[in-house]
Amino acid sequence: MYELYSKGQIQERVKEIATEINNTYGDEQLTVIGILNGSFMFVSDLVRQLTMPIELDFFGAKSYMGRKRNPGIHFTKEFDIDLKGKNVLVVEDIVDSGNTMFIVLDNFSGREPKSLRLCTLLDKPTKREKIVHMDWIGFEIPNKFVIGYGLDYYGLYRNLSNICVL
Ligand code: IMP
Ligand code: MG
């Protein structure tokens, strides 16, 4: 196991992204939806740097391989916020194949938000299957399995303050 991004590097990048998000929305209210479980740490650091009125909840999405290796997504947590007419910012830990975010964003756009943007901590573009537009990316990483800062390997390592390659 070796470190890819230190705690300090992550915090610095979170601050930069937050500044861009603050500049994009100004004083307009923002609805932040974090995708569980991986985004919890990124969300909590990011929202503390945002300056507009924030409404926050989490959405649970788990990917699985169905028959004929067709990827499917199982929603594990719904939220009560009505997205209609809202500025919605989806916060995800990592976009890999893109299948999870493709389905989640399609679901959310059907709820008629005023705007829908995606902020992902990590982008792993090498095995992309679905094109997903990412408005903010923390770091683009090579095709390695990473853990820490919310990301897990069989449920472990989410609590690390840095990002490591396993
Ligand atoms: P997708 O392939 O873009 O649908 O990503 C599905 C999910 O796989 C992500 O939301 C992560 O939870 C998980 N995932 C993908 N790559 C990694 C990794 O390197 N470490 C930990 N989880 C990952
Ligand atoms: Mg995830």
Side-chain angles (χ1 to χ4, degrees), residues 53-123:
I54 297 275
E55 187 179 31
L56 170 72
D57 212 329
F58 290 90
F59 186 70
K62 228 185 172 86
S63 48
Y64 61 89
M65 277 298 168
R67 288 205 295 161
K68 293 184 182 170
R69 290 188 52 78
N70 266 334
I73 305 296
H74 168 67
F75 297 151
T76 57
K77 183 199 172 292
E78 189 44 79
F79 51 81
D80 291 330
I81 299 171
D82 183 2
L83 300 185
K84 190 168 179 158
K86 302 273 178 72
N87 289 311
V88 176
L89 177 65
V90 177
V91 180
E92 173 63 311
D93 55 353
I94 185 165
V95 177
D96 185 11
S97 70
N99 287 310
T100 305
M101 271 307 102
F102 187 85
I103 291 169
V104 168
L105 291 173
D106 183 61
N107 180 293
F108 286 6
S109 67
R111 305 184 195 198
E112 301 175 54
K114 178 182 174 191
S115 67
L116 181 61
R117 292 189 177 92
L118 172 61
C119 175
T120 183
L121 174 67
L122 302 174
D123 174 20

Side-chain angles (χ1 to χ4, degrees), residues 8-161:
Q9 284 174 308
I10 296 167
Q11 294 306 322
E12 202 169 301
R13 187 69 189 119
V14 169
K15 211 172 272 181
E16 287 171 1
I17 291 173
T19 301
E20 289 183 24
I21 294 172
N22 285 331
N23 290 337
T24 297
Y25 296 98
D27 293 331
E28 280 193 69
Q29 183 172 312
L30 185 61
T31 300
V32 175
I33 305 291
I35 308 301
L36 293 173
N37 295 331
S39 76
F40 81 97
M41 203 175 278
F42 183 36
V43 168
S44 78
D45 282 340
L46 186 68
V47 293
R48 277 180 282 185
Q49 307 275 346
L50 298 180
T51 49
M52 68 291 281
I54 297 275
E55 187 179 31
L56 170 72
D57 212 329
F58 290 90
F59 186 70
K62 228 185 172 86
S63 48
Y64 61 89
M65 277 298 168
R67 288 205 295 161
K68 293 184 182 170
R69 290 188 52 78
N70 266 334
I73 305 296
H74 168 67
F75 297 151
T76 57
K77 183 199 172 292
E78 189 44 79
F79 51 81
D80 291 330
I81 299 171
D82 183 2
L83 300 185
K84 190 168 179 158
K86 302 273 178 72
N87 289 311
V88 176
L89 177 65
V90 177
V91 180
E92 173 63 311
D93 55 353
I94 185 165
V95 177
D96 185 11
S97 70
N99 287 310
T100 305
M101 271 307 102
F102 187 85
I103 291 169
V104 168
L105 291 173
D106 183 61
N107 180 293
F108 286 6
S109 67
R111 305 184 195 198
E112 301 175 54
K114 178 182 174 191
S115 67
L116 181 61
R117 292 189 177 92
L118 172 61
C119 175
T120 183
L121 174 67
L122 302 174
D123 174 20
K124 197 155 68 170
T126 44
K127 296 248 172 85
R128 193 62 37 85
E129 292 170 13
K130 289 271 175 26
I131 295 170
V132 172
H133 177 75
M134 287 162 270
D135 297 276
W136 292 281
I137 296 167
F139 304 100
E140 186 181 309
I141 63 164
N143 190 29
K144 301 252 196 261
F145 195 85
V146 293
I147 49 150
Y149 199 68
L151 292 122
D152 74 304
Y153 176 66
Y154 289 105
L156 296 176
Y157 308 111
R158 291 192 196 276
N159 58 308
L160 302 184
S161 303

